[in-house]
Amino acid sequence: MGAGRDHPAGVALLPLPVSVPQAAGRRRAFPWRPALLTATLLVVSTAATAQTESPGQTLKRVEQDIQADKALQKQLDRQSQTLQKELDELRDRLVGLADQERAQEDELAHLEESLTALETQERNQAEKLEGERQQIAALLAALQRVARIPPEAALARPDGPVDTLRSALLLRDTVPALRARADALAQALTRLAETREALQAQRSRTYAARLTLIDRQKEIGQLVARREELSRQTEEERQQVAQRTARLTGQAADLRQLMDRIEAERRAAAAAAAKREAERLEAERREAERRLAEQRAAEQKAAEQKAAEQRAADQKLAEQRSSEQRARAEAEAARAAPGAPAGERLPVGGRVTVRYGEADRYGATSRGVTIQARAGSTVVSPQAGTIVFAGPFRGYGQILIVEHSHGYHSLIAGFGRIDTAVGRRVATGEPIGLMPADGSPDLYFELRRHGQPINPQRGFGAPEGKGQG
């Protein structure tokens, strides 16, 4: 909020605050708008009458305005608490929707695999039936040609009676076999029809799952926009109140300085000696206070150093015990389920194509994991923390760095779009961006502790390791 236009006696008009939008999209005015309007009218009245008032009266009026502004500050604090509560509820809802989207993506992947298997089965059955149909068609054509020969023509043929009898016996044996193959062909056609019906139903379920996934992603996008609006508005309101309070305080200080100068000029001649004595006493008092403050600071520094050494020793002992407990827990988990990762929470769902310590596509040893995700998937924060970097970096494209507690940092690269900003606090599982909208994009996730890379699939509770520089 910019400074208001100057008025007589250095008093500025204060603009009214903007209104705050509700979660449902409607906008409501702040409940303290009437009070702020009253304070503004008082400031205008002060500007109009400042020329006929003494500095003391003007100072009294400004101090009254400051008291009224403090009341407005309390109301704004309560309003900010309400907005913060709504923002926290919005974050929790975003985390839940992100989990639902992850489940929808898994279900859609399963349906697509089933659909591929059914299409392969239909193609194989159709090819097999086509071969059977060609063989039966050839046999039927041969029978039709034999049936068209009259008995007299058969007797007149040059073949002997034995050959003619043999041909008749072969035809007699062929008819039952042909009927059996025709029955088997009918059953196979029935199975093919059932397979195609199942294939059609599977396609319908897959289409419905895709529509559900699209709706879920749209809802997440709307909630992310709402989250950004609330965060931006809360910060703007705080800046407005801070600027207004600073301006009123400056006006009061100017008036106090004016009154002090007038009073000093009026009593300068009579109070010169007393002033020098007061200054000497004040200097002695300040010197005594300075010495006492230095002594207390030295004592406090020694006490803090001792306390810091004790805390460091306690922390080192606690970390050693925690490391031993985690090692025992990981050993027990490894014995109970070999190969299962402890505390794994990846930023996006998908298939891990390159694991920690394996060679990546350039032949270098990977310091993190690479996940092949679905196009347009939502990327979430693997753990609560603060955004310390967001944007393009060298050849990595769009990357995000999140600072967590206990010395952990997450580096996430491969975004199609980033939906957060530097300095923002994010919760565990809160959406922070989207994957690219086409192809089968890859997301790179690297986890570091105290600057050293560790295996992300072992989780944030994993013991420290030397890692790779």
Side-chain angles (χ1 to χ4, degrees):
M1 181 179 66
R5 188 172 53 190
D6 293 337
H7 286 265
V11 181
L13 288 177
L14 304 180
L16 295 178
V18 296
S19 57
V20 180
Q22 285 290 351
R26 297 193 300 269
R27 302 180 66 86
R28 63 180 181 187
F30 279 121
W32 37 264
R33 181 182 289 275
L36 183 58
L37 180 59
T38 302
T40 306
L41 294 177
L42 287 175
V43 174
V44 174
S45 176
T46 301
T49 60
Q51 294 180 349
T52 61
E53 292 180 346
S54 65
Q57 292 174 336
T58 305
L59 176 61
K60 185 177 180 181
R61 289 181 180 275
V62 172
E63 289 177 343
Q64 290 176 353
D65 293 341
I66 292 177
Q67 293 297 326
D69 193 68
K70 289 181 179 179
L72 295 179
Q73 177 70 36
K74 293 181 180 179
Q75 295 181 7
L76 181 59
D77 290 340
R78 290 193 294 270
Q79 185 71 18
S80 297
Q81 292 176 0
T82 302
L83 285 176
Q84 186 62 39
K85 182 179 179 181
E86 182 180 355
L87 185 59
D88 293 339
E89 293 176 354
L90 181 60
R91 282 186 175 135
D92 294 339
R93 189 177 177 190
L94 278 172
V95 171
L97 286 177
D99 292 338
Q100 293 178 13
E101 184 194 6
R102 181 76 60 84
Q104 288 288 339
E105 290 178 349
D106 294 340
E107 180 183 358
L108 181 57
H110 178 69
L111 289 175
E112 289 176 347
E113 291 178 359
S114 300
L115 183 63
T116 302
L118 285 174
E119 290 175 347
T120 303
Q121 182 180 355
E122 180 200 19
R123 186 167 54 254
N124 293 336
Q125 289 182 354
E127 292 176 355
K128 184 177 179 180
L129 288 175
E130 179 63 21
E132 291 287 337
R133 187 190 65 79
Q134 293 178 0
Q135 293 180 4
I136 292 176
L139 290 174
L140 288 174
L143 289 175
Q144 288 176 356
R145 286 195 301 270
V146 173
R148 290 193 186 100
I149 300 175
E152 296 81 1
L155 292 176
R157 295 180 63 182
D159 298 333
V162 176
D163 293 335
T164 303
L165 180 60
R166 185 181 295 112
S167 299
L169 291 176
L170 289 174
L171 290 175
R172 185 190 64 182
D173 293 337
T174 301
V175 171
L178 185 61
R179 182 178 293 107
R181 294 185 67 175
D183 294 339
L185 180 60
Q187 295 176 359
L189 287 172
T190 302
R191 289 194 299 270
L192 178 60
E194 293 174 351
T195 301
R196 287 177 174 172
E197 290 179 359
L199 179 60
Q200 184 64 30
Q202 190 74 355
R203 285 173 177 167
S204 300
R205 287 192 295 270
T206 303
Y207 179 72
R210 287 172 179 167
L211 292 180
T212 303
L213 179 59
I214 292 173
D215 293 340
R216 193 74 65 202
Q217 291 175 344
K218 288 182 180 178
E219 186 175 2
I220 288 178
Q222 294 173 356
L223 290 180
V224 167
R226 175 63 180 160
R227 178 190 65 185
E228 298 303 313
E229 181 182 359
L230 286 178
S231 299
R232 182 179 62 256
Q233 191 169 21
T234 302
E235 184 64 24
E236 290 176 355
E237 293 162 4
R238 292 185 182 276
Q239 291 178 358
Q240 290 175 0
V241 173
Q243 293 174 0
R244 183 172 62 251
T245 303
R247 187 164 53 255
L248 287 177
T249 304
Q251 293 173 4
D254 293 340
L255 289 173
R256 288 192 186 97
Q257 291 176 2
L258 176 62
M259 293 180 63
D260 292 341
R261 186 167 60 252
I262 294 174
E263 188 67 17
E265 291 175 356
R266 187 174 64 85
R267 298 181 180 180
K275 182 178 180 181
R276 287 192 297 271
E277 182 65 18
E279 289 177 352
R280 185 183 63 81
L281 295 176
E282 180 68 15
E284 292 178 355
R285 184 184 65 81
R286 289 180 178 177
E287 180 65 20
E289 290 181 351
R290 185 185 63 79
R291 293 175 182 175
L292 181 59
E294 289 178 353
Q295 182 181 357
R296 290 178 178 175
E299 294 175 353
Q300 182 178 2
K301 183 177 180 180
E304 289 178 351
Q305 183 176 3
K306 185 177 180 180
E309 292 176 354
Q310 183 63 33
R311 286 195 300 270
D314 295 341
Q315 183 178 1
K316 183 176 181 180
L317 180 59
E319 290 179 353
Q320 182 178 0
R321 291 177 178 174
S322 177
S323 178
E324 293 175 355
Q325 292 176 358
R326 286 196 300 267
R328 287 195 297 268
E330 288 181 355
E332 293 175 0
R335 289 193 298 268
E344 176 182 359
R345 184 179 184 91
L346 299 179
V348 72
R351 183 172 62 89
V352 177
T353 57
V354 179
R355 300 184 180 276
Y356 176 84
E358 295 179 351
D360 58 17
R361 58 182 177 179
Y362 303 107
T365 302
S366 177
R367 300 180 181 179
V369 295
T370 301
I371 308 163
Q372 187 179 51
R374 181 178 296 276
S377 295
T378 299
V379 183
V380 303
S381 174
Q383 190 81 350
T386 303
I387 306 299
V388 297
F389 184 87
F393 181 76
R394 295 182 181 176
Y396 293 93
Q398 295 286 335
I399 74 169
L400 202 68
I401 299 178
V402 187
E403 181 181 14
H404 312 290
S405 58
H406 305 298
Y408 285 98
H409 286 79
S410 292
L411 186 148
I412 308 172
F415 288 91
R417 189 185 75 196
I418 295 178
D419 291 331
T420 186
V422 174
R424 293 281 175 80
R425 286 282 304 171
V426 293
T428 302
E430 181 177 351
I432 54 178
L434 297 176
M435 295 297 294
D438 54 356
S440 298
D442 291 336
L443 183 103
Y444 177 74
F445 174 38
E446 181 175 323
L447 180 62
R448 289 177 173 249
R449 187 175 188 189
H450 302 310
Q452 296 297 328
I454 62 176
N455 188 354
Q457 292 187 285
R458 297 175 65 184
F460 285 82
E464 296 185 38
K466 294 183 178 179
Q468 299 165 354

